[in-house]
Amino acid sequence: MLPKPQDPIVVTHWGTYRAVVRAGKPERLVPLASDPDPSPIAQGMIDALDNSARILRPAVRKSFLVHGPAAGGSGRGKDPFVEVSWREALDLAARELERIRTNYGAGAIYGGSYGWGSAGRFHHAQSQIHRFLNVTGGYTRSIQNYSFAAADIILPHVVGDSKGVGFHHTTWQDIVAHTKMLVIFGGLPSKNAQVNSGGIHRHILREALANIRANGAELVSISPLRDDVDSDLQGAWLPIRPTTDVAMMLGIAFVLASEGLHDRSFLNRYTSGYDRFEAYLLGRTDGTPKTPEWAEAICQVPAESIRGLARRMARTRTMIMMSWALQRADHGEQPYWMAITLAAMLGQIGLPGGGYGFGYGSVNSIGNPAMDFSWPSLPQGENTISDFIPVARVADMLLNPGGRYDFNGERRTYPDIRLVYWAGGNPFHHHQDINRLRLAWQRPEAVIVHESWWNATARHADIVFPIATTLERNDIGCSGRDNFIAPSHKLTDPAGEARNDYDVFTELARRAGAEDAFTEGRDEEGWLRHLYDQVCEQTARLGHNMPDFDTFWRGGLITIRESARQPRLLEDFRRDPQAHPLKTPSGKIEIHSPRIETFAYDDCPGHPTWLEPYEWLGSPLARQYPLHLVSNQPKTRLHSQYDSGSHSRASKIHGREAMRMHPSDAKARGISDGDIVRVFNDRGECLAGIILSEELLPGVIQLPTGAWYDPADPANEGSLEKHGNPNVLTRDKGTSRLGQGPSAHSCLVEVERFTGTVAAVTAFDRPAMAAAE
């Protein structure tokens, strides 16, 4: 039995909190005193435990319960549900899984999950579902993630691996000490840095930026949003048209090359293919020199500002930062490739305070010192099915079984998926063009979902298992990008009949004859002790003396000493490129990639290039849809998590997601602050509540992601979405044939004041329930 904690704590993706519990119920979560900038997101966790959206019992779509797979998928999201016993739901799910494996093979099962479901190392939904599917025959998996899919593919071609995107960044300590100019493309918003996969010990972004400013460094923020860097910490703001950063960087590069400010010796020793790129840059290959004036016509940043910025960057120690958001757009590979090229031209890669890095501020711990070991996690086992899809191509896969597509130099075939099993994550939040996704979601013969609340993914399932939340289960919290480990204590019993994912999969594994393989004879406590023993073994080899498990569990958060050596990004390569070559064909930074050029992709040529996005403010479509939609991360929640909680709901306007708009754009449309508006294009339409703000570039609107999808008429595939989910507007298209990442930020819309009857938001209500026949 687990020992009773002295002072219960909870580890979440947005921080670590001490819990005040009365009579078996949590009353409040108090941030640790050591956190200088705690997140308020946790305030919505307690009331969400038993709100109207909570799933309390297993449920089955009525038509599926009566007719099985013969019911078809057209009723998903429309039909009522029937609450059933755990035994009936588990037996039904087990039969469907076995039927699919027998009739079509395990590759006809798609194991959908997104790793943000839990901050714990054990109750990590993605690990749980993959382990279960692997021990019962395998499944078709996805690779990449929605955060930086395009970057994950382009960087290995350019610098040999993906370091500097998710891990292995130059630390904030190094940047604070040595950087004299910080050039930020896409911002460093503290709202994004509230969160971190696996948990947070200390929120570090604002502290780091304050120290940089105190040391006299110049900060330049290049973004369509002024407050992409907090106003009290920012320096200069250069407003830029969305998705035109490559054009601006080419303008900077032109100044460096034409004025002899580039580091030719660095380019010769450490890079390959610069001459091919320079011929394009100077216009020798296409007749168009990429001058600052050329760039201004595209990005609307004044030519003299571009010229002055280039000169200042060349004469001081400069760090180029770029957010993950910039590669979630059409041709999203190009800004990252171009940023590396620009950093190479400056010649400061691998030097103290210089070079480049991606994702600073996108989550809290980017720039944290690295650890000497990896935290243990629940092993997922081996998948006997080799097939996979790029994660953002799930609707394409469901709509086009057997269809052919390009990906990273391969010509691949979409599998024929007959069953979707989803645990952790909400595709009706993070996927683009939800109306198209709804059509795709009708194709499988069965959909099984683990969820805690009746969000759109649960509503579009055939079988729904109610799952315990972070506050209702025991776990261990630690992050691969942080130096802490802490118990995460169960504060209350699960609501209704909810169970944790592990117990559900154990029951299904038993029915499949794979219980021993799945559990290895351990229950929740057994796995927590086993994982902690692995921590102790790894840290002991490095000289750390960890307490025994019972002492750890009764106590609180423990910090581990970081590695004494914290190499800068590409420092070893800079010091000796022969001894530490990159994993590219040339062993160098490939400004021109012969390998990519052989793919002959018109949407991703062999060197960084300005390619017009399919939708941007300079395109002909802007005459019909003249506003660029920025659908970035929300301030009051993580993705769509806890949208039903009080903290997120308090930010709504008349129950709708708040959308920011420049006063000049609002005035031209007769829109006032607080109005309900209709946002629309050819793909869909949604309602939102207006906040007027001069923090945006005119012509740009900001509608955060994560409002639970809520169609006014679920029976109508293109129905008005009444809650404010921007992904009914975004296009479901890969960034390029190379990366196939999501391209949500290439999106044009129009906005008008809504004059119709405003229907009540029902996203947080239970779906219709029917009695069993």
Side-chain angles (χ1 to χ4, degrees):
M1 180 181 293
L2 288 169
K4 184 178 180 179
Q6 297 171 352
D7 192 3
I9 63 175
V10 174
V11 181
T12 75
H13 291 304
W14 35 90
T16 303
Y17 302 84
R18 298 199 179 278
V20 178
V21 181
R22 299 272 190 271
K25 299 291 183 182
E27 287 190 350
R28 66 181 186 275
L29 302 177
V30 182
L32 297 183
S34 57
D35 190 346
D37 189 24
S39 168
I41 292 177
Q43 304 313 313
M45 295 181 71
I46 294 176
D47 61 86
L49 286 171
D50 57 2
N51 66 18
S52 59
R54 192 67 197 270
I55 305 173
L56 300 176
R57 297 171 187 83
V60 180
R61 183 165 64 98
K62 183 175 181 179
S63 59
F64 190 86
L65 184 63
V66 174
H67 302 291
S74 61
R76 293 186 185 122
K78 309 168 192 176
D79 292 347
F81 284 85
V82 177
E83 292 183 332
V84 299
S85 68
W86 269 102
R87 179 175 180 177
E88 185 173 3
L90 289 163
D91 286 347
L92 180 57
R95 286 197 302 269
E96 283 303 300
L97 287 162
E98 180 59 27
R99 181 181 67 84
I100 297 298
R101 291 190 201 100
T102 300
N103 293 346
Y104 307 107
I109 298 172
Y110 180 69
S113 183
Y114 213 55
W116 287 95
S118 169
R121 304 304 282 184
F122 175 61
H123 291 297
H124 181 250
Q126 189 178 76
S127 298
Q128 292 280 349
I129 186 173
H130 292 171
R131 178 179 176 86
F132 165 72
L133 291 174
N134 282 336
V135 302
T136 55
Y139 66 103
T140 292
R141 72 191 195 281
S142 64
I143 63 170
Q144 308 169 298
N145 58 48
Y146 279 81
S147 295
F148 48 80
D152 235 5
I153 299 301
I154 187 63
L155 258 69
H157 290 286
V158 180
V159 290
D161 54 38
S162 295
K163 291 178 181 176
V165 177
F167 293 90
H168 302 290
H169 293 72
T170 298
T171 66
W172 278 116
Q173 290 91 325
D174 187 89
I175 295 167
V176 167
H178 302 290
T179 298
K180 300 304 179 184
M181 187 174 195
L182 192 58
V183 179
I184 307 159
F185 289 90
L188 292 169
S190 60
K191 66 177 180 60
N192 291 24
Q194 291 182 97
V195 303
N196 189 67
S197 181
I200 293 174
H201 169 213
R202 300 178 73 254
H203 288 84
I204 61 173
L205 177 64
R206 287 182 54 81
E207 182 179 75
L209 287 179
N211 290 336
I212 291 170
R213 289 297 304 276
N215 282 357
E218 178 183 1
L219 272 65
V220 179
S221 176
I222 301 161
S223 169
L225 310 178
R226 187 200 308 267
D227 54 6
D228 254 350
V229 177
D230 288 359
S231 58
D232 59 328
L233 297 171
Q234 66 183 210
W237 176 44
L238 293 180
I240 186 173
R241 272 180 168 173
T243 70
T244 64
D245 303 80
V246 170
M248 181 177 175
M249 286 186 283
L250 285 167
I252 295 171
F254 182 91
V255 175
L256 298 179
S258 63
E259 297 184 8
L261 300 176
H262 57 321
D263 189 333
R264 176 61 77 170
S265 63
F266 181 91
L267 293 167
N268 288 340
R269 186 180 186 195
Y270 297 99
T271 76
S272 172
Y274 172 74
D275 290 343
R276 292 283 298 273
F277 167 75
E278 187 181 77
Y280 164 76
L281 177 69
L282 301 181
R284 292 197 293 266
T285 57
D286 63 359
T288 303
K290 312 309 179 293
T291 65
E293 288 73 20
W294 168 86
E296 178 183 359
I298 296 170
C299 66
Q300 293 190 337
V301 177
E304 284 309 304
S305 296
I306 295 173
R307 193 169 278 111
L309 178 61
R311 292 166 180 164
R312 298 199 308 281
M313 291 172 72
R315 65 173 177 251
T316 193
R317 185 55 50 85
T318 299
M319 168 65 75
I320 298 171
M321 291 184 177
M322 185 169 284
S323 70
W324 288 344
L326 289 197
Q327 49 83 68
R328 295 196 296 270
D330 198 23
H331 312 123
E333 298 80 10
Q334 300 304 313
Y336 274 35
W337 200 350
M338 186 62 222
I340 295 170
T341 299
L342 190 57
M345 293 178 71
L346 293 171
Q348 299 179 21
I349 293 173
L351 294 179
Y356 67 89
F358 305 114
Y360 289 94
S362 296
V363 291
N364 175 72
S365 61
I366 298 294
N368 260 347
M371 303 293 292
D372 283 327
F373 65 93
S374 297
W375 298 109
S377 59
L378 181 69
Q380 297 183 18
E382 295 296 323
N383 190 352
T384 60
I385 304 300
S386 61
D387 207 0
F388 66 86
I389 64 162
V391 67
R393 303 273 58 80
V394 60
D396 285 354
M397 172 188 71
L398 297 176
L399 289 168
N400 302 292
R404 303 280 285 166
Y405 69 101
D406 291 304
F407 176 63
N408 198 22
E410 297 182 355
R411 187 72 174 159
R412 298 186 57 83
T413 302
Y414 286 121
D416 186 0
I417 296 299
R418 301 303 180 105
L419 185 149
V420 171
Y421 200 144
W422 208 282
N426 179 7
F428 284 82
H429 144 66
H430 62 241
H431 196 73
Q432 283 64 62
D433 196 349
I434 289 178
N435 288 321
R436 183 173 186 262
L437 178 63
R438 285 191 70 188
L439 292 173
W441 211 252
Q442 296 176 13
R443 298 298 183 93
E445 296 178 12
V447 176
I448 305 172
V449 167
H450 289 206
E451 249 303 336
S452 303
W453 293 275
W454 282 110
N455 61 23
T457 300
R459 291 169 187 263
H460 285 79
D462 298 318
I463 303 170
V464 181
F465 291 121
I467 299 301
T469 73
T470 298
L471 305 185
E472 299 167 332
R473 59 198 183 198
N474 293 302
D475 215 327
I476 294 173
C478 49
S479 168
R481 304 188 188 104
D482 215 325
N483 70 330
F484 81 96
I485 183 170
S488 188
H489 297 119
K490 175 181 175 180
L491 306 183
T492 188
D493 290 332
E497 298 177 14
R499 301 180 181 181
N500 62 55
D501 295 294
Y502 182 71
D503 289 344
V504 177
F505 287 129
T506 297
E507 289 288 344
L508 291 172
R510 179 180 301 133
R511 285 161 170 80
E515 181 182 5
D516 290 345
F518 180 73
T519 67
E520 298 183 26
R522 300 185 182 99
D523 59 8
E524 176 191 74
E525 179 180 347
W527 275 107
L528 295 180
R529 290 181 179 277
H530 175 70
L531 292 172
Y532 185 76
D533 286 346
Q534 291 181 320
V535 171
C536 294
E537 291 172 8
Q538 292 189 49
T539 55
R541 290 195 292 267
L542 300 171
H544 301 290
N545 185 22
M546 299 289 288
D548 64 78
F549 179 84
D550 286 359
T551 302
F552 161 75
W553 194 258
R554 284 191 297 264
L557 180 145
I558 299 171
T559 57
I560 308 295
R561 185 175 64 253
E562 295 126 344
S563 171
R565 182 173 183 266
Q566 297 291 330
R568 304 172 192 98
L569 183 62
L570 298 186
E571 177 184 350
D572 292 339
F573 169 68
R574 171 81 188 225
R575 185 176 63 254
D576 190 337
Q578 281 71 46
H580 302 282
L582 302 182
K583 297 175 184 177
T584 58
S586 65
K588 299 181 178 183
I589 298 169
E590 299 215 342
I591 294 175
H592 172 266
S593 169
R595 179 189 293 163
I596 290 179
E597 189 169 59
T598 65
F599 300 160
Y601 295 156
D602 57 358
D603 54 5
C604 190
H607 58 68
T609 305
W610 161 249
L611 301 169
E612 280 202 38
Y614 55 74
E615 291 180 24
W616 68 296
L617 290 174
S619 66
L621 189 63
R623 290 192 289 271
Q624 182 179 2
Y625 299 115
L627 299 172
H628 195 117
L629 170 63
V630 174
S631 52
N632 56 2
Q633 295 302 312
K635 185 177 182 179
T636 58
R637 58 185 174 266
L638 166 58
H639 302 149
S640 66
Q641 289 188 40
Y642 290 97
D643 190 34
S644 67
S646 57
H647 184 64
S648 179
R649 294 175 76 165
S651 69
K652 312 279 184 179
I653 297 176
H654 304 300
R656 326 290 150 167
E657 191 67 19
M659 185 184 85
R660 296 201 301 173
M661 188 179 209
H662 194 276
S664 64
D665 293 323
K667 183 178 180 181
R669 293 163 174 79
I671 294 170
S672 301
D673 198 64
D675 279 350
I676 299 298
V677 297
R678 172 178 171 256
V679 191
F680 61 96
N681 59 20
D682 288 341
R683 289 179 288 273
E685 56 181 346
C686 71
L687 300 183
I690 282 292
I691 294 176
L692 299 184
S693 174
E694 294 186 348
E695 298 293 287
L696 295 84
L697 180 72
V700 174
I701 60 171
Q702 178 198 13
L703 180 59
T705 61
W708 287 4
Y709 172 68
D710 192 15
D713 180 7
N716 178 0
E717 303 296 347
S719 174
L720 171 71
E721 200 283 325
K722 57 188 177 179
H723 189 201
N725 188 314
N727 274 327
V728 299
L729 304 162
T730 54
R731 186 176 178 184
D732 185 12
K733 175 184 179 296
T735 49
S736 75
R737 288 187 286 165
L738 181 82
Q740 293 288 5
S743 57
H745 288 307
S746 295
C747 182
L748 294 179
V749 301
E750 179 56 289
V751 175
E752 63 184 17
R753 187 171 178 271
F754 187 69
T755 57
T757 301
V758 181
V761 171
T762 54
F764 308 130
D765 298 340
R766 281 160 53 89
M769 292 289 169
E773 294 183 355

